[in-house]
Amino acid sequence: MKTALFILLPYPSHYFVGFGKARQLKAQGYEVVFTGLRAHQTLIEREGFVYKPLRYASAYKQLSFRALIALLILTLLNKSFTIQRYRTFWEEVREIQVLAEELQPEMLLIDSHLGHYALYLWQTQCTKIILNTKLSSYPEIGIPPLTEGWLANPNGWAIIRARTEWQVHFLKRKWKQWLEKIAFLGKDDQWLLERLVQKTVQKYSDWFDDNHCFYPAVKALPKLITYPRALEYPWKKPKAGEYYEAIPFERNESHLFSEGYCQLMAQLRLSKLQNPAIKVV
């Protein structure tokens, strides 16, 4: 039987979108496998798919200034810390490679947030697709970063505002990247990826496009956006390899609602009715 392997960001919202595509593939005769943490095993198997545990790659991202200072001190005082990070990185890369060798998938679908896994599995011969569980976000005329909350417009002031917000967005990212490089004395997470890129006889810039809102986008692979094209701004031009597919999916979160949780919510609603001034956070 043909196998389709999904490697998604381990959050239910990403799995629910992936399940929609997985059902299509299962109907076409694929055995569908999802990686995940132990906490997601029930969620995956309840939907009728195969669960495989995965030790997701470590990452030092979105760190506070205090955390960066602590890492800088650790890096300076403990030389074995950098060596251990290097070893851990290669162990994690090898673990996902072993899983792919075991399953021999005909199709590999990788979450857009985990695009670096495409690099980890560069030697795996199969059809590879980047799965966007939300609309993609990159600079386009009059369209701000997805983190902003105003409606885009391809005219006038909106063009200037969007361009400015993108520049600020990328400047903030660049600043954080420099802080991370300082904290690790140049041997940050990107440095580790660049060591792996060297094995592919290519450059980092050949593999990844950093001109995206949330994460480096993989250049060479097709990108499936799991929403109708109608939800996108009509003047936005898809990048090379991007395509839209309206995939139906259900958010079945019943496994999260224990009896105790439901009782608590009933009590909170009753308290709110009795005293509207109460704020529930």
Side-chain angles (χ1 to χ4, degrees), residues 4 8 47 84 94 160 224 243 271:
L8 303 184
E47 297 293 330
Q84 184 57 50
R94 185 56 190 151
I160 299 172
L224 167 58
Y243 65 101
S271 298

Side-chain angles (χ1 to χ4, degrees), residues 84-108:
Q84 184 57 50
R85 285 183 57 241
Y86 189 76
R87 287 175 177 170
T88 299
F89 171 75
W90 287 107
E91 287 171 1
E92 291 166 342
V93 170
R94 185 56 190 151
E95 187 167 321
I96 186 62
Q97 290 175 344
V98 168
L99 178 62
E101 290 168 6
E102 172 194 335
L103 295 174
Q104 293 291 308
E106 280 74 23
M107 184 176 293
L108 176 61

